[in-house]
Amino acid sequence: MFQVSMQAQLAQKQSLVFTPQLQQAIKLLLLNNVDLTSYVEKAAEENPFLDVKLPEVTRGIPMLPVSSGRVADQSGYDPIAMLVDKSGDTFGAQVFAQVDDLLSDHAERAIGYALASHLEPTGWLLVALEDVAAKLGADLSRVERVLRKLQRAEPAGLFARNLRECLRLQLTDTGEDSGKMHVLIDHLGLVQQGALPELRRKLDCSKEQLAGYLRQLRRLNPKPGLELGGSHTAPLREPDLCAFKDAEGEWAVELNNSTLPVIKVDEEMGRKVRKLIGKDADREFVRGSLGTARWLTRAILQRNETSIKVAAEIVRYQKPFLDEGMQQMRPLKLKMIANAIGVHESTISRVTSSLTMQTPQGCFPLKAFFSAAIDSNCSDEGASAWAIRNKIRNMVGTEPRNRPFSDDKITSELNSQGFQIARRTVAKYRKLDRIPSSSQRRRSYEMMEPSMRG
């Protein structure tokens, strides 16, 4: 017969316990400098022993709450205006200066600053007006009126919420041609498809007239904000890190301290409070709050040190890119950086998930420096996928308009240069960069230059 019995045994095993502090430390690695500032500010509101000095904000200004629909008193003091940097010729400075020119009412100007703080470098406004109205405590209709005024800014097309609105804002003619252009803009899908007969029916025009409208359409700028000095690598916020050459000509990395909060533990207040309280529960609260403040200070210091180490190793590895540009980007994997600084791959993944770094080549998210390797006869380590994508973009940009390069042609050219790449990979990279197929590009060229048609 079977016998059932219970016995007590001792056994040792290793396990990782996700304590609240460990979870917070992991969360800190996922935050960029702006988000870290918000996190620390909230922590300081709950902990009386945390002394926090917030960074000066010059981009992505916070939207302050409106009291009774007003943000400025009768004296003309405007708290949002105090946060806006309108000096210099940066993108933000030029936009905010135009807000001042277009809006004279203080309350409207505050709404204008809030809208301008969310403007993309392309000039587009992608934030929902409902969200702006809710955060400001203002009527949606008032926010819409302010937006219409701001859409008179230069260059034309700023503060557009989509491509069609951006193009319409650039139409200056109010005659019959303007009406035809509005119809053409309403049917951009047909333009992309190259459906010329359908477009002629929609516009009720001849081939020659359609060619003229298409030429006018091509002269419009879908990204007017770039005329103010922006670029496709311009950050939507200040960079978290900066890479530069020091006085000795060596590459160095530092945190952008202008976007970081300064945190201190008010130990003196802690000592004074401990002398005044008598209840055990109060002493426990003080002890816990001081401990949390000290831990948070150490954790943020550790987060900053880890960020610097990761960025410095990326810079060391990607020196050719920093010196010469995208074509010299080396293939890089998370594991290589993890091994170099002695941490786990997951730590590298978290650090690079949201941080950006300013370089002489532009401002890039850290994850942009990582890419797979493509076999190359020119290098034992292979070529970076980013470098290959850049080559594809350059080839398409210089292709003959009457015979655009097919994916097979691009693959053959890359193979002849020593890069072992398949046609499907070329097609994948082309689609990632939103480059139309060769047949679609040919139709686009024909619409710009009707004389190309046989």
Side-chain angles (χ1 to χ4, degrees):
M1 295 181 63
F2 292 102
Q3 293 183 350
V4 179
S5 62
M6 298 180 65
Q7 294 181 346
Q9 292 183 339
L10 294 176
Q12 289 183 335
K13 67 175 182 177
Q14 290 184 334
S15 63
L16 180 62
V17 179
F18 278 85
T19 64
Q21 286 190 341
L22 178 58
Q23 293 177 24
Q24 283 185 299
I26 291 175
K27 182 177 180 179
L28 291 177
L29 291 176
L30 294 167
L31 302 179
N32 57 48
N33 291 0
V34 174
D35 293 336
L36 178 66
T37 298
S38 300
Y39 180 87
V40 170
E41 185 178 12
K42 183 178 179 181
E45 292 174 355
E46 301 172 354
N47 193 322
F49 304 109
L50 263 181
D51 184 11
V52 177
K53 180 181 179 182
L54 299 177
E56 295 182 5
V57 181
T58 59
R59 184 177 301 181
I61 64 174
M63 294 191 288
L64 302 183
V66 179
S67 176
S68 302
R70 295 181 59 83
V71 291
D73 59 25
Q74 297 299 325
S75 66
Y77 168 72
D78 190 336
I80 294 185
M82 303 298 291
L83 297 173
V84 175
D85 180 10
K86 289 168 280 191
S87 61
D89 58 355
T90 63
F91 172 82
Q94 295 179 70
V95 170
F96 285 121
Q98 291 198 65
V99 172
D100 285 349
D101 293 338
L102 294 169
L103 304 172
S104 57
D105 179 80
H106 289 299
E108 286 195 348
R109 188 173 289 177
I111 295 174
Y113 288 147
L115 292 172
S117 71
H118 287 279
L119 208 62
E120 300 282 330
T122 58
W124 287 24
L125 181 69
L126 300 184
V127 65
L129 296 189
E130 292 82 0
D131 292 342
V132 176
K135 290 183 179 180
L136 288 174
D139 292 336
L140 177 60
S141 59
R142 191 174 196 183
V143 176
E144 291 173 341
R145 287 197 300 273
V146 171
L147 177 61
R148 286 195 292 272
K149 293 180 180 180
L150 292 178
Q151 288 179 339
R152 299 199 298 266
E154 294 293 336
L158 288 183
F159 290 94
R161 289 164 289 180
N162 52 59
L163 177 58
R164 287 184 173 84
E165 187 174 48
C166 180
L167 299 179
R168 286 196 183 99
L169 290 173
Q170 298 175 53
L171 297 178
T172 56
D173 186 9
T174 58
E176 180 182 353
D177 282 353
S178 177
K180 300 287 188 181
M181 287 300 299
H182 280 284
V183 174
L184 185 62
I185 290 172
D186 284 337
H187 296 87
L188 291 177
L190 295 178
V191 175
Q192 184 178 10
Q193 297 169 20
L196 302 185
E198 182 68 17
L199 284 171
R200 286 199 300 273
R201 285 194 294 271
K202 296 287 185 183
L203 275 68
D204 189 22
C205 65
S206 65
K207 290 183 179 180
E208 292 72 18
Q209 289 174 319
L210 177 59
Y213 295 141
L214 290 171
R215 283 194 295 270
Q216 186 176 345
L217 178 66
R218 296 294 176 181
R219 286 195 291 269
L220 303 181
N221 186 357
K223 299 179 181 180
L226 299 187
E227 296 181 20
L228 297 179
S231 70
H232 67 284
T233 58
L236 303 182
R237 54 181 171 79
E238 293 293 330
D240 304 296
L241 299 138
C242 298
F244 60 95
K245 282 190 175 181
D246 58 22
E248 299 178 355
E250 297 295 328
W251 284 103
V253 175
E254 65 180 21
L255 282 165
N256 184 0
N257 290 321
S258 66
T259 62
L260 282 172
V262 178
I263 308 172
K264 295 180 180 179
V265 180
D266 197 336
E267 299 285 359
E268 184 177 354
M269 178 184 287
R271 287 192 293 270
K272 291 180 179 178
V273 172
R274 278 198 297 264
K275 292 179 181 179
L276 296 175
I277 60 177
K279 296 181 181 179
D280 292 341
D282 293 337
R283 289 197 189 95
E284 185 62 29
F285 170 77
V286 172
R287 187 182 302 109
S289 297
L290 280 170
T292 299
R294 292 169 186 143
W295 174 87
L296 182 59
T297 303
R298 293 193 300 269
I300 290 177
L301 180 62
Q302 181 64 40
R303 173 260 186 196
N304 293 344
E305 290 177 351
T306 303
S307 300
I308 285 287
K309 288 180 181 179
V310 172
E313 188 60 26
I314 291 174
V315 166
R316 185 193 69 78
Y317 195 83
Q318 297 290 9
K319 283 182 182 178
F321 159 75
L322 298 174
D323 288 327
E324 302 178 40
M326 184 64 72
Q327 67 276 9
Q328 296 300 324
M329 180 79 79
R330 297 174 64 186
L332 180 60
K333 295 182 178 180
L334 297 175
K335 186 176 181 179
M336 299 170 68
I337 301 297
N339 291 340
I341 66 175
V343 298
H344 195 269
E345 282 183 61
S346 61
T347 300
I348 307 299
S349 177
R350 293 186 181 101
V351 171
T352 58
S353 64
S354 60
L355 296 184
T356 60
M357 182 163 63
Q358 183 68 47
T359 76
Q361 304 297 336
C363 186
F364 297 88
L366 289 188
K367 60 185 177 183
F369 294 95
F370 296 85
S371 64
I374 304 296
D375 290 339
S376 170
N377 297 337
C378 307
S379 171
D380 292 338
E381 68 180 16
S384 163
W386 278 101
I388 297 296
R389 288 173 63 175
N390 188 60
K391 284 182 175 292
I392 294 173
R393 288 192 293 267
N394 290 337
M395 290 175 66
V396 170
T398 57
E399 67 187 357
R401 296 197 167 193
N402 60 337
R403 297 184 63 186
F405 294 148
S406 65
D407 292 344
D408 286 328
K409 172 67 175 177
I410 295 174
T411 303
S412 177
E413 179 63 25
L414 290 173
N415 288 340
S416 68
Q417 296 178 20
F419 301 104
Q420 306 303 314
I421 188 170
R423 179 190 176 282
R424 63 178 179 275
T425 306
V426 169
K428 180 181 75 172
Y429 289 167
R430 175 177 57 75
K431 292 176 181 177
L432 285 173
D433 288 326
R434 298 181 180 179
I435 298 174
S437 66
S438 58
S439 59
Q440 290 174 320
R441 299 200 302 276
R442 180 180 176 83
R443 284 196 295 268
S444 297
Y445 296 149
E446 288 174 348
M447 285 190 289
M448 286 188 291
E449 302 175 22
S451 59
M452 288 173 49
R453 298 180 67 89

